[in-house]
Amino acid sequence: MTAEDVVTIVREGLFVVIKTAAVPLVVSLCVGLTVSIFQTVTSIQEQTLTMIPKILSVFTALILLGHWMLNNLSTFMTTLWSDFSLYIR
């Protein structure tokens, strides 16, 4: 196994993690921005107002897209383990 193989595996792993984690992060960002704009317009200064919509939207995103996220991770791991014999030489 060469250093290029290790770099390729790490690069693919990081890409899978970023792609998988981006979904709830983007949902949280959009909901947080919307609630912040709403707070600014209405002059509501309640700190806990942003947490409940964010938590609910992230849980909803995980429920709706959790299968896709798990499929991405399991596909990467299956590919990694199926090519294991190539890496140990």
Side-chain angles (χ1 to χ4, degrees):
M1 179 177 225
T2 64
E4 296 164 357
D5 293 335
V6 174
V7 170
T8 302
I9 293 170
V10 170
R11 184 176 356 106
E12 289 175 3
L14 287 175
F15 180 70
V16 167
V17 168
I18 289 170
K19 184 172 66 170
T20 304
V23 174
L25 290 176
V26 168
V27 168
S28 176
L29 175 75
C30 292
V31 170
L33 182 64
T34 304
V35 171
S36 295
I37 291 172
F38 175 74
Q39 281 183 320
T40 302
V41 168
T42 60
S43 298
I44 298 173
Q45 298 300 323
E46 181 64 34
Q47 295 297 324
T48 59
L49 183 63
T50 58
M51 285 298 147
I52 301 301
K54 275 188 192 180
I55 290 171
L56 291 176
S57 62
V58 168
F59 281 150
T60 304
L62 289 175
I63 289 170
L64 294 176
L65 298 171
H67 182 267
W68 173 79
M69 295 166 68
L70 186 61
N71 191 24
N72 277 345
L73 292 172
S74 63
T75 301
F76 173 71
M77 288 307 297
T78 303
T79 305
L80 190 65
W81 282 102
S82 66
D83 295 339
F84 190 71
S85 62
L86 299 174
Y87 302 136
I88 58 174
R89 60 182 170 98

Coordinates of all heavy atoms in Angstrom, one line a residue:
M1 N 0.8 -1.2 0.0 CA 0.0 0.0 0.0 C 0.9 1.2 0.0 O 1.7 1.4 0.9 CB -0.9 0.0 1.2 CG -1.8 1.2 1.3 SD -2.9 1.0 2.7 CE -4.4 1.5 2.0
T2 N 0.7 2.1 -1.0 CA 1.5 3.3 -1.1 C 0.8 4.5 -0.4 O -0.3 4.4 0.1 CB 1.7 3.6 -2.6 OG1 0.4 4.0 -3.1 CG2 2.3 2.5 -3.3
A3 N 1.6 5.5 -0.3 CA 1.0 6.7 0.3 C -0.1 7.3 -0.5 O -1.0 7.9 0.1 CB 2.1 7.8 0.5
E4 N -0.1 7.1 -1.8 CA -1.1 7.6 -2.7 C -2.4 6.9 -2.4 O -3.5 7.5 -2.4 CB -0.7 7.4 -4.1 CG 0.5 8.3 -4.5 CD 1.1 7.8 -5.8 OE1 0.6 6.8 -6.4 OE2 2.0 8.5 -6.3
D5 N -2.3 5.6 -2.1 CA -3.6 4.8 -1.7 C -4.2 5.3 -0.4 O -5.4 5.5 -0.3 CB -3.2 3.3 -1.6 CG -2.8 2.7 -2.9 OD1 -3.2 3.2 -4.0 OD2 -2.1 1.7 -2.8
V6 N -3.3 5.6 0.5 CA -3.8 6.2 1.8 C -4.5 7.5 1.6 O -5.6 7.8 2.2 CB -2.7 6.2 2.8 CG1 -3.1 6.9 4.1 CG2 -2.1 4.9 3.1
V7 N -3.8 8.4 0.8 CA -4.4 9.7 0.6 C -5.7 9.6 -0.2 O -6.7 10.3 0.1 CB -3.4 10.6 -0.3 CG1 -4.0 11.8 -0.8 CG2 -2.2 10.9 0.6
T8 N -5.8 8.7 -1.1 CA -7.1 8.5 -1.8 C -8.2 8.0 -0.9 O -9.3 8.5 -1.0 CB -6.9 7.4 -2.9 OG1 -5.9 7.9 -3.8 CG2 -8.2 7.2 -3.7
I9 N -7.9 7.0 0.0 CA -8.9 6.5 0.9 C -9.3 7.6 1.9 O -10.5 7.8 2.1 CB -8.3 5.3 1.7 CG1 -8.1 4.1 0.8 CG2 -9.2 5.0 2.9 CD1 -7.4 3.0 1.4
V10 N -8.4 8.4 2.4 CA -8.7 9.5 3.3 C -9.6 10.5 2.6 O -10.6 11.0 3.2 CB -7.5 10.1 4.0 CG1 -7.8 11.3 4.7 CG2 -6.8 9.1 4.9
R11 N -9.2 10.9 1.4 CA -9.9 11.9 0.6 C -11.4 11.4 0.4 O -12.3 12.2 0.6 CB -9.2 12.2 -0.7 CG -9.9 13.3 -1.5 CD -9.2 13.7 -2.8 NE -8.0 13.1 -3.1 CZ -7.8 12.1 -4.1 NH1 -8.9 11.7 -4.8 NH2 -6.7 11.6 -4.3
E12 N -11.5 10.2 0.0 CA -12.9 9.7 -0.3 C -13.7 9.6 1.0 O -14.9 9.9 1.0 CB -12.8 8.3 -0.9 CG -12.3 8.3 -2.3 CD -12.1 6.9 -2.9 OE1 -12.4 5.9 -2.2 OE2 -11.7 6.8 -4.0
G13 N -13.0 9.2 2.1 CA -13.7 9.2 3.4 C -14.2 10.5 3.9 O -15.3 10.7 4.3
L14 N -13.3 11.5 3.7 CA -13.7 12.9 4.1 C -14.8 13.4 3.2 O -15.7 14.1 3.7 CB -12.5 13.8 4.1 CG -11.4 13.6 5.2 CD1 -10.2 14.5 4.9 CD2 -12.1 13.9 6.5
F15 N -14.8 13.1 1.9 CA -15.8 13.6 1.0 C -17.2 13.0 1.4 O -18.2 13.6 1.4 CB -15.5 13.2 -0.4 CG -16.5 13.7 -1.4 CD1 -16.7 15.0 -1.6 CD2 -17.3 12.8 -2.1 CE1 -17.7 15.5 -2.5 CE2 -18.3 13.2 -2.9 CZ -18.5 14.5 -3.2
V16 N -17.2 11.7 1.8 CA -18.4 11.0 2.2 C -18.9 11.6 3.5 O -20.1 11.9 3.6 CB -18.2 9.5 2.3 CG1 -19.4 8.8 3.1 CG2 -18.0 8.9 1.0
V17 N -18.1 11.9 4.4 CA -18.5 12.5 5.7 C -19.0 13.9 5.5 O -20.1 14.3 6.0 CB -17.3 12.5 6.7 CG1 -17.6 13.4 7.9 CG2 -17.0 11.1 7.1
I18 N -18.3 14.7 4.6 CA -18.8 16.1 4.4 C -20.1 16.0 3.7 O -21.1 16.8 4.0 CB -17.7 16.8 3.6 CG1 -16.6 17.1 4.5 CG2 -18.3 18.1 3.0 CD1 -15.4 17.7 3.8
K19 N -20.3 15.2 2.7 CA -21.5 15.1 1.9 C -22.7 14.6 2.8 O -23.8 15.1 2.7 CB -21.3 14.1 0.7 CG -22.5 14.0 -0.2 CD -22.2 13.2 -1.4 CE -21.9 11.7 -1.1 NZ -21.8 10.9 -2.3
T20 N -22.4 13.7 3.7 CA -23.4 13.2 4.6 C -23.8 14.2 5.7 O -25.0 14.4 6.0 CB -23.0 11.9 5.3 OG1 -22.6 11.0 4.2 CG2 -24.0 11.3 6.1
A21 N -22.8 14.9 6.2 CA -23.1 15.9 7.3 C -23.7 17.2 6.7 O -24.3 18.0 7.5 CB -21.8 16.2 8.1
A22 N -23.5 17.5 5.5 CA -24.0 18.7 4.9 C -25.5 18.9 4.9 O -26.0 20.0 5.1 CB -23.5 18.9 3.5
V23 N -26.2 17.8 4.8 CA -27.7 17.8 4.8 C -28.2 18.5 6.1 O -28.9 19.5 6.0 CB -28.3 16.5 4.5 CG1 -29.8 16.5 4.6 CG2 -27.8 16.0 3.1
P24 N -28.0 17.9 7.3 CA -28.5 18.5 8.5 C -27.9 19.9 8.8 O -28.6 20.8 9.3 CB -28.3 17.6 9.6 CG -27.3 16.6 9.1 CD -27.3 16.6 7.6
L25 N -26.7 20.1 8.4 CA -26.1 21.4 8.6 C -26.7 22.5 7.8 O -26.9 23.6 8.3 CB -24.6 21.3 8.4 CG -23.8 20.5 9.4 CD1 -22.3 20.4 8.9 CD2 -23.9 21.1 10.7
V26 N -27.0 22.2 6.5 CA -27.6 23.2 5.6 C -29.0 23.5 6.1 O -29.5 24.7 6.1 CB -27.6 22.8 4.2 CG1 -28.4 23.6 3.3 CG2 -26.1 22.8 3.7
V27 N -29.7 22.5 6.5 CA -31.1 22.7 7.0 C -31.1 23.5 8.3 O -31.9 24.5 8.4 CB -31.8 21.3 7.3 CG1 -33.0 21.5 8.1 CG2 -32.0 20.6 6.0
S28 N -30.2 23.3 9.2 CA -30.0 24.0 10.4 C -29.6 25.5 10.1 O -30.2 26.4 10.7 CB -29.0 23.4 11.3 OG -28.8 24.2 12.4
L29 N -28.8 25.7 9.1 CA -28.4 27.0 8.7 C -29.5 27.8 8.2 O -29.8 29.0 8.5 CB -27.2 26.9 7.7 CG -26.8 28.3 7.1 CD1 -25.9 29.0 8.1 CD2 -26.0 28.0 5.8
C30 N -30.3 27.2 7.3 CA -31.4 27.9 6.7 C -32.5 28.2 7.7 O -33.0 29.4 7.7 CB -32.0 27.0 5.5 SG -30.9 26.9 4.1
V31 N -32.8 27.3 8.6 CA -33.8 27.6 9.6 C -33.3 28.6 10.6 O -34.1 29.5 11.0 CB -34.2 26.3 10.3 CG1 -35.1 26.5 11.5 CG2 -34.9 25.3 9.4
G32 N -32.1 28.6 11.0 CA -31.5 29.6 11.9 C -31.5 30.9 11.3 O -31.8 31.9 11.9
L33 N -31.2 31.0 10.0 CA -31.2 32.3 9.3 C -32.6 32.9 9.2 O -32.9 34.1 9.5 CB -30.6 32.2 7.9 CG -30.5 33.5 7.1 CD1 -29.6 34.5 7.8 CD2 -30.0 33.1 5.7
T34 N -33.6 32.0 8.9 CA -35.0 32.5 8.8 C -35.5 32.9 10.2 O -36.1 34.0 10.3 CB -35.9 31.3 8.3 OG1 -35.3 30.8 7.1 CG2 -37.3 31.7 8.1
V35 N -35.2 32.2 11.2 CA -35.7 32.6 12.6 C -34.9 33.9 13.0 O -35.6 34.8 13.6 CB -35.4 31.5 13.6 CG1 -35.7 31.9 15.0 CG2 -36.3 30.3 13.2
S36 N -33.7 34.0 12.7 CA -33.0 35.3 13.0 C -33.5 36.5 12.3 O -33.7 37.6 12.9 CB -31.5 35.1 12.7 OG -30.9 34.1 13.5
I37 N -33.9 36.3 11.1 CA -34.5 37.4 10.3 C -35.9 37.8 10.9 O -36.2 38.9 11.1 CB -34.6 37.1 8.8 CG1 -33.2 37.1 8.2 CG2 -35.6 38.1 8.1 CD1 -33.2 36.6 6.8
F38 N -36.6 36.7 11.3 CA -37.9 36.9 12.0 C -37.7 37.7 13.3 O -38.5 38.6 13.6 CB -38.6 35.6 12.2 CG -39.9 35.7 13.0 CD1 -41.0 36.2 12.4 CD2 -39.9 35.3 14.3 CE1 -42.2 36.3 13.1 CE2 -41.1 35.4 15.0 CZ -42.2 35.9 14.5
Q39 N -36.7 37.3 14.1 CA -36.4 38.0 15.3 C -36.0 39.4 15.1 O -36.4 40.3 15.9 CB -35.3 37.2 16.1 CG -35.8 36.0 16.8 CD -34.7 35.3 17.6 OE1 -33.5 35.3 17.1 NE2 -35.0 34.8 18.8
T40 N -35.3 39.7 14.1 CA -34.8 41.0 13.8 C -36.0 41.9 13.4 O -36.1 43.1 13.9 CB -33.8 41.1 12.7 OG1 -32.7 40.2 13.2 CG2 -33.3 42.4 12.5
V41 N -36.9 41.4 12.6 CA -38.0 42.1 12.1 C -39.0 42.4 13.2 O -39.5 43.5 13.3 CB -38.7 41.4 10.9 CG1 -40.1 42.0 10.6 CG2 -37.8 41.4 9.7
T42 N -39.2 41.5 14.1 CA -40.2 41.6 15.2 C -39.6 42.1 16.5 O -40.4 42.3 17.4 CB -41.0 40.3 15.4 OG1 -40.0 39.3 15.8 CG2 -41.7 39.9 14.2
S43 N -38.3 42.3 16.5 CA -37.6 42.8 17.7 C -37.8 41.9 18.9 O -37.8 42.3 20.1 CB -38.1 44.2 18.1 OG -37.7 45.1 17.1
I44 N -37.9 40.6 18.7 CA -38.0 39.6 19.7 C -36.6 39.2 20.0 O -35.8 38.8 19.2 CB -38.8 38.3 19.3 CG1 -40.3 38.7 19.0 CG2 -38.8 37.3 20.4 CD1 -41.1 37.6 18.4
Q45 N -36.2 39.3 21.3 CA -34.8 38.9 21.7 C -34.8 37.7 22.6 O -34.0 37.6 23.5 CB -34.2 40.1 22.5 CG -34.1 41.4 21.6 CD -33.2 41.2 20.4 OE1 -32.2 40.5 20.5 NE2 -33.6 41.8 19.3
E46 N -35.6 36.7 22.2 CA -35.6 35.4 23.0 C -34.6 34.5 22.4 O -34.6 34.1 21.2 CB -37.0 34.8 22.9 CG -37.1 33.6 23.7 CD -36.9 33.7 25.2 OE1 -37.3 34.8 25.7 OE2 -36.4 32.8 25.8
Q47 N -33.6 34.0 23.2 CA -32.5 33.2 22.7 C -33.0 31.7 22.4 O -32.4 31.1 21.6 CB -31.4 33.1 23.7 CG -30.7 34.5 23.9 CD -30.0 34.9 22.6 OE1 -29.5 34.2 21.9 NE2 -30.1 36.2 22.4
T48 N -34.0 31.3 23.2 CA -34.4 29.9 23.0 C -35.3 29.7 21.8 O -35.6 28.6 21.4 CB -35.2 29.4 24.3 OG1 -36.3 30.3 24.5 CG2 -34.3 29.4 25.5
L49 N -35.8 30.8 21.2 CA -36.6 30.8 20.1 C -36.0 30.1 18.9 O -36.6 29.4 18.1 CB -37.1 32.2 19.7 CG -38.1 32.3 18.5 CD1 -39.4 31.5 18.9 CD2 -38.4 33.7 18.2
T50 N -34.7 30.2 18.7 CA -34.0 29.6 17.6 C -33.7 28.1 17.8 O -33.6 27.4 16.8 CB -32.6 30.3 17.4 OG1 -31.8 30.2 18.5 CG2 -32.8 31.8 17.0
M51 N -33.7 27.7 19.0 CA -33.3 26.2 19.2 C -34.4 25.3 18.8 O -34.1 24.3 18.2 CB -32.9 26.0 20.7 CG -31.6 26.6 21.1 SD -30.3 25.7 20.1 CE -29.2 27.0 19.9
I52 N -35.6 25.5 19.2 CA -36.7 24.6 18.9 C -36.9 24.4 17.4 O -37.0 23.2 17.0 CB -38.0 25.1 19.6 CG1 -37.8 25.2 21.1 CG2 -39.2 24.1 19.3 CD1 -37.4 23.9 21.8
P53 N -37.0 25.4 16.6 CA -37.2 25.2 15.2 C -36.0 24.4 14.6 O -36.1 23.6 13.7 CB -37.4 26.5 14.6 CG -37.8 27.4 15.7 CD -37.2 26.8 16.9
K54 N -34.8 24.8 15.0 CA -33.6 24.1 14.5 C -33.6 22.6 14.8 O -33.3 21.8 14.0 CB -32.3 24.7 15.1 CG -31.8 25.9 14.4 CD -30.5 26.3 14.9 CE -30.0 27.6 14.5 NZ -28.7 27.9 15.1
I55 N -33.9 22.3 16.1 CA -33.9 20.9 16.5 C -35.0 20.1 15.7 O -34.7 19.0 15.2 CB -34.2 20.8 18.0 CG1 -32.9 21.3 18.8 CG2 -34.5 19.4 18.5 CD1 -33.1 21.4 20.3
L56 N -36.2 20.7 15.6 CA -37.2 20.0 14.9 C -36.9 19.8 13.4 O -37.2 18.8 12.8 CB -38.6 20.8 15.0 CG -39.2 20.8 16.4 CD1 -40.4 21.7 16.5 CD2 -39.5 19.4 16.9
S57 N -36.3 20.8 12.8 CA -36.0 20.7 11.4 C -34.8 19.7 11.1 O -34.9 19.0 10.1 CB -35.6 22.1 10.8 OG -34.5 22.6 11.4
V58 N -33.9 19.7 12.0 CA -32.8 18.7 11.9 C -33.3 17.3 12.1 O -32.9 16.4 11.3 CB -31.6 19.0 12.8 CG1 -30.6 17.9 12.9 CG2 -30.9 20.3 12.4
F59 N -34.1 17.1 13.1 CA -34.7 15.8 13.3 C -35.6 15.4 12.1 O -35.6 14.2 11.6 CB -35.6 15.7 14.5 CG -34.7 15.6 15.8 CD1 -35.2 16.1 17.0 CD2 -33.5 14.9 15.8 CE1 -34.4 15.9 18.1 CE2 -32.8 14.8 16.9 CZ -33.2 15.3 18.1
T60 N -36.3 16.3 11.5 CA -37.1 16.0 10.3 C -36.2 15.6 9.1 O -36.5 14.7 8.4 CB -38.0 17.2 10.0 OG1 -38.8 17.5 11.1 CG2 -38.9 16.9 8.8
A61 N -35.1 16.4 9.0 CA -34.2 16.1 7.9 C -33.6 14.7 8.1 O -33.4 14.0 7.1 CB -33.1 17.2 7.8
L62 N -33.2 14.4 9.3 CA -32.7 13.1 9.6 C -33.7 11.9 9.4 O -33.3 10.9 8.9 CB -32.1 13.0 11.0 CG -30.9 13.8 11.3 CD1 -30.5 13.8 12.8 CD2 -29.7 13.3 10.5
I63 N -34.9 12.2 9.7 CA -36.0 11.2 9.5 C -36.2 11.0 8.0 O -36.3 9.9 7.5 CB -37.3 11.6 10.2 CG1 -37.1 11.4 11.7 CG2 -38.4 10.7 9.7 CD1 -38.2 12.0 12.5
L64 N -36.3 12.1 7.2 CA -36.5 12.0 5.8 C -35.3 11.5 5.0 O -35.5 10.8 4.0 CB -37.0 13.4 5.3 CG -38.3 13.9 5.8 CD1 -38.6 15.3 5.3 CD2 -39.5 12.9 5.4
L65 N -34.1 12.0 5.3 CA -33.0 11.6 4.5 C -32.0 10.7 5.2 O -30.9 10.5 4.7 CB -32.3 12.9 4.1 CG -33.1 13.9 3.3 CD1 -32.4 15.2 3.1 CD2 -33.4 13.3 1.9
G66 N -32.4 10.1 6.4 CA -31.5 9.2 7.1 C -31.1 8.0 6.3 O -30.0 7.5 6.4
H67 N -32.1 7.5 5.5 CA -31.8 6.3 4.7 C -30.7 6.6 3.7 O -29.8 5.8 3.5 CB -33.1 5.8 4.0 CG -32.9 4.6 3.2 ND1 -32.6 4.6 1.9 CD2 -32.9 3.3 3.6 CE1 -32.4 3.4 1.4 NE2 -32.6 2.6 2.4
W68 N -30.8 7.7 3.1 CA -29.8 8.1 2.1 C -28.4 8.3 2.7 O -27.4 7.9 2.2 CB -30.2 9.4 1.4 CG -29.2 10.0 0.5 CD1 -28.9 9.6 -0.8 CD2 -28.3 11.1 0.8 NE1 -27.9 10.4 -1.3 CE2 -27.5 11.3 -0.4 CE3 -28.1 11.9 1.9 CZ2 -26.6 12.3 -0.4 CZ3 -27.2 12.9 1.8 CH2 -26.4 13.0 0.7
M69 N -28.4 8.9 3.9 CA -27.2 9.2 4.6 C -26.5 7.9 5.0 O -25.3 7.7 4.8 CB -27.4 10.1 5.8 CG -27.9 11.5 5.5 SD -28.5 12.4 6.9 CE -27.1 12.6 7.8
L70 N -27.3 6.9 5.6 CA -26.8 5.6 6.0 C -26.3 4.8 4.7 O -25.3 4.1 4.8 CB -27.9 4.9 6.7 CG -27.4 3.6 7.3 CD1 -26.3 3.8 8.3 CD2 -28.6 2.9 8.0
N71 N -27.0 5.0 3.6 CA -26.6 4.3 2.4 C -25.3 4.8 1.9 O -24.5 4.0 1.4 CB -27.7 4.5 1.3 CG -27.5 3.6 0.2 OD1 -26.9 2.5 0.3 ND2 -28.1 3.9 -1.0
N72 N -25.1 6.1 2.0 CA -23.8 6.7 1.6 C -22.6 6.1 2.4 O -21.6 5.7 1.9 CB -23.8 8.2 1.7 CG -24.4 8.9 0.6 OD1 -24.6 8.3 -0.5 ND2 -24.7 10.1 0.8
L73 N -22.8 6.1 3.7 CA -21.8 5.6 4.6 C -21.6 4.1 4.4 O -20.4 3.6 4.4 CB -22.1 5.9 6.1 CG -22.1 7.3 6.4 CD1 -22.7 7.5 7.8 CD2 -20.7 7.9 6.3
S74 N -22.6 3.3 4.3 CA -22.5 1.9 4.2 C -21.9 1.5 2.8 O -21.1 0.5 2.7 CB -23.8 1.1 4.4 OG -24.7 1.5 3.4
T75 N -22.2 2.2 1.8 CA -21.6 2.0 0.4 C -20.1 2.2 0.5 O -19.3 1.4 -0.1 CB -22.3 2.9 -0.6 OG1 -23.6 2.6 -0.7 CG2 -21.6 2.6 -2.0
F76 N -19.7 3.3 1.1 CA -18.3 3.6 1.3 C -17.6 2.5 2.0 O -16.5 2.0 1.6 CB -18.0 4.9 1.9 CG -16.6 5.2 2.2 CD1 -15.7 5.5 1.2 CD2 -16.1 5.2 3.5 CE1 -14.4 5.7 1.5 CE2 -14.8 5.4 3.8 CZ -13.9 5.7 2.8
M77 N -18.2 2.1 3.2 CA -17.5 1.0 4.0 C -17.5 -0.3 3.2 O -16.5 -1.1 3.3 CB -18.2 0.9 5.3 CG -18.0 2.0 6.2 SD -16.2 2.4 6.5 CE -15.7 0.9 7.3
T78 N -18.5 -0.6 2.5 CA -18.6 -1.9 1.7 C -17.5 -1.9 0.7 O -16.8 -2.9 0.5 CB -19.9 -2.1 1.1 OG1 -20.9 -2.1 2.1 CG2 -20.0 -3.4 0.3
T79 N -17.3 -0.8 0.0 CA -16.3 -0.6 -1.0 C -14.9 -0.7 -0.4 O -14.0 -1.4 -0.9 CB -16.4 0.7 -1.8 OG1 -17.7 0.8 -2.3 CG2 -15.4 0.8 -2.9
L80 N -14.7 -0.1 0.7 CA -13.4 -0.1 1.4 C -13.1 -1.6 1.9 O -12.0 -2.0 1.7 CB -13.5 0.8 2.6 CG -12.2 1.1 3.3 CD1 -11.2 1.8 2.4 CD2 -12.4 1.9 4.6
W81 N -14.0 -2.3 2.4 CA -13.8 -3.6 2.9 C -13.7 -4.6 1.8 O -12.9 -5.6 1.9 CB -14.8 -4.1 3.9 CG -14.6 -3.5 5.3 CD1 -15.3 -2.5 5.8 CD2 -13.6 -3.9 6.2 NE1 -14.8 -2.2 7.1 CE2 -13.7 -3.0 7.3 CE3 -12.6 -4.9 6.2 CZ2 -12.9 -3.1 8.4 CZ3 -11.8 -5.0 7.3 CH2 -11.9 -4.1 8.4
S82 N -14.4 -4.4 0.7 CA -14.3 -5.3 -0.5 C -12.9 -5.2 -1.2 O -12.4 -6.2 -1.8 CB -15.4 -5.1 -1.5 OG -15.3 -3.8 -2.1
D83 N -12.3 -4.0 -1.1 CA -11.0 -3.8 -1.7 C -9.8 -4.0 -0.7 O -8.7 -3.7 -0.9 CB -10.9 -2.4 -2.3 CG -11.8 -2.2 -3.4 OD1 -12.2 -3.2 -4.0 OD2 -12.1 -1.0 -3.7
F84 N -10.1 -4.7 0.5 CA -9.2 -4.8 1.5 C -7.9 -5.6 1.1 O -6.8 -5.3 1.5 CB -9.8 -5.4 2.7 CG -9.0 -5.4 4.0 CD1 -8.7 -4.2 4.6 CD2 -8.4 -6.6 4.5 CE1 -7.9 -4.2 5.8 CE2 -7.6 -6.5 5.6 CZ -7.4 -5.3 6.3
S85 N -8.1 -6.6 0.2 CA -7.0 -7.4 -0.2 C -6.0 -6.6 -1.0 O -4.8 -7.0 -1.1 CB -7.5 -8.6 -1.0 OG -8.2 -8.2 -2.1
L86 N -6.5 -5.6 -1.7 CA -5.6 -4.8 -2.5 C -4.7 -3.9 -1.6 O -3.6 -3.5 -2.0 CB -6.4 -3.9 -3.4 CG -7.3 -4.6 -4.5 CD1 -8.1 -3.5 -5.2 CD2 -6.4 -5.4 -5.4
Y87 N -5.2 -3.6 -0.4 CA -4.5 -2.6 0.5 C -3.4 -3.3 1.3 O -2.5 -2.6 1.8 CB -5.5 -1.9 1.4 CG -6.6 -1.1 0.7 CD1 -7.9 -1.2 1.0 CD2 -6.2 -0.4 -0.4 CE1 -8.9 -0.5 0.4 CE2 -7.2 0.3 -1.1 CZ -8.5 0.3 -0.7 OH -9.5 1.0 -1.4
I88 N -3.5 -4.6 1.5 CA -2.6 -5.2 2.5 C -1.3 -5.8 1.8 O -0.4 -6.3 2.4 CB -3.2 -6.4 3.2 CG1 -3.8 -7.5 2.3 CG2 -4.3 -5.9 4.1 CD1 -4.3 -8.7 3.0
R89 N -1.2 -5.6 0.5 CA 0.0 -6.1 -0.2 C 1.1 -5.1 -0.2 O 1.0 -4.0 0.1 CB -0.3 -6.5 -1.6 CG -0.9 -5.5 -2.5 CD -1.2 -6.0 -3.9 NE -2.0 -5.0 -4.6 CZ -1.4 -4.1 -5.4 NH1 -0.1 -4.2 -5.7 NH2 -2.1 -3.2 -6.0

